[in-house]
Amino acid sequence: MQAASRLKIGISACFMHADPQRALFTGKTLQYVEQSIAHWVMSTGALAVMIPSPGGATQRGDVTLDHYAQWLDGLVLHGGADVSPLSYGEQPLQERWVGDKIRDEYEIDLVAAFERQGKPVFGVCRGLQLLNVAYGGTLYQDIETQVPRSLRHRDAAVYDKNFHGVEIVAGSRLAALYPGAQRLRVNSIHHQAVKDLAPEFEIEAVSHDDGIVEAIRRRDASRPFLAAVQWHPEFHLPGTDPAAIDDAALLEDFLAAAAAALPKLSK
């Protein structure tokens, strides 16, 4: 397949903010993508492109997030630092949950740019939480603190091999992607979660054990594609857990939406 015919999918950047105590890149801000998410996007032939944030007052040149949204065919928001409670009108319950408001603002602007272009957005883990906040929802700052008798959704000892079951909402698009399946087995690496769902979305899956929201999608299918999962499909590698779902259907659904938008944009 020629490069010109491949879908170009943007991936939002993770931030490592300037730290004068860091031995490497001392005092410099780094922006990067985690390798597995790029490989997942590329697994069906799409091109993965990291989208850096504009430089604000220090920016050189006139490139904006809208330029990237015009050029690319879709956007993936991936995992990383906590969403800041300040981004949804709350104060952090603990200092360690302050999150990354700078990244929040960048990604909210990025989602808005792709929305203006009518192009699809898919969120993974933090990406689900960011989408919910961007459209008016709120989060649990820490599941174990705020949800009594909750499942342990993040276990540092096993990290991406922490698996649990999720229940699919009947009649949802997710149910259509996995016909005949009522429960999926997925990995779980998060301590934040949806508290108040944004009006724009509907729930497509919840944790079997405690009802934590695990998948959301925009209610209005006539509007640009917005969907997200709380788990990490990019970590579902062969042999990791034989019972875990095949996440290819999620990626194909998102890429199909990107491909479907192309003729509309060229008219």
Side-chain angles (χ1 to χ4, degrees):
M1 185 186 300
Q2 295 297 315
S5 62
R6 296 176 185 266
L7 289 169
K8 303 183 294 297
I9 302 301
I11 302 177
S12 63
C14 292
F15 289 17
M16 186 179 291
H17 296 291
D19 181 357
Q21 303 302 316
R22 192 168 55 230
L24 296 176
F25 298 102
T26 306
K28 300 297 181 185
T29 296
L30 307 182
Q31 297 186 9
Y32 63 95
V33 296
E34 201 278 332
Q35 176 176 279
S36 294
I37 196 75
H39 286 183
W40 184 65
V41 167
M42 294 188 293
S43 64
T44 58
L47 300 176
V49 180
M50 189 195 86
I51 306 174
S53 70
T58 62
Q59 180 168 340
R60 299 180 179 182
D62 63 351
V63 175
T64 68
L65 296 178
D66 281 293
H67 290 123
Y68 278 99
Q70 290 163 13
W71 175 54
L72 296 168
D73 302 317
L75 171 66
V76 171
L77 303 169
H78 69 322
D82 287 352
V83 174
S84 173
L86 299 175
S87 295
Y88 47 92
E90 295 184 9
Q91 293 296 316
L93 297 177
Q94 295 189 25
E95 186 177 351
R96 59 183 171 148
W97 300 330
V98 67
D100 189 343
K101 193 169 191 300
I102 293 174
R103 181 176 169 186
D104 297 349
E105 292 171 353
Y106 148 74
E107 287 189 314
I108 289 170
D109 288 346
L110 191 54
V111 169
F114 275 78
E115 178 84 78
R116 284 191 289 272
Q117 296 299 318
K119 295 181 179 180
V121 178
F122 185 78
V124 170
C125 194
R126 171 193 159 91
L128 178 148
Q129 298 160 11
L130 188 285
L131 280 174
N132 187 57
V133 168
Y135 286 86
T138 65
L139 304 176
Y140 290 116
Q141 295 184 34
D142 181 68
I143 296 169
E144 291 187 9
T145 301
Q146 296 180 279
V147 183
R149 297 178 296 279
S150 60
L151 179 72
R152 192 173 189 185
H153 286 266
R154 183 172 68 180
D155 187 338
V158 295
Y159 195 57
D160 56 339
K161 297 178 178 59
N162 182 36
F163 285 85
H164 68 87
V166 300
E167 302 287 341
I168 304 175
V169 174
S172 65
R173 174 62 181 166
L174 186 64
L177 294 178
Y178 294 93
Q182 293 181 325
R183 187 181 302 176
L184 305 176
R185 184 168 170 81
V186 302
N187 57 1
S188 182
I189 320 169
H190 63 105
H191 79 102
Q192 294 185 311
V194 170
K195 181 170 63 175
D196 300 309
L197 184 68
E200 196 86 8
F201 296 103
E202 60 186 5
I203 296 170
E204 293 202 308
V206 298
S207 171
H208 170 69
D209 296 277
D210 55 19
I212 290 293
V213 174
E214 294 283 344
I216 62 175
R217 188 175 298 265
R218 173 173 255 162
R219 293 178 182 277
D220 187 352
S222 68
R223 297 188 63 198
F225 177 109
L226 290 175
V229 296
Q230 187 60 71
W231 63 89
H232 284 261
E234 74 275 21
F235 293 154
H236 283 189
L237 301 175
T240 304
D241 187 318
I245 67 166
D246 181 352
D247 288 290
L250 294 173
L251 180 58
E252 290 167 0
D253 185 49
F254 165 64
L255 294 179
L262 293 175
K264 299 176 185 178
L265 295 170
S266 63
K267 288 181 181 178

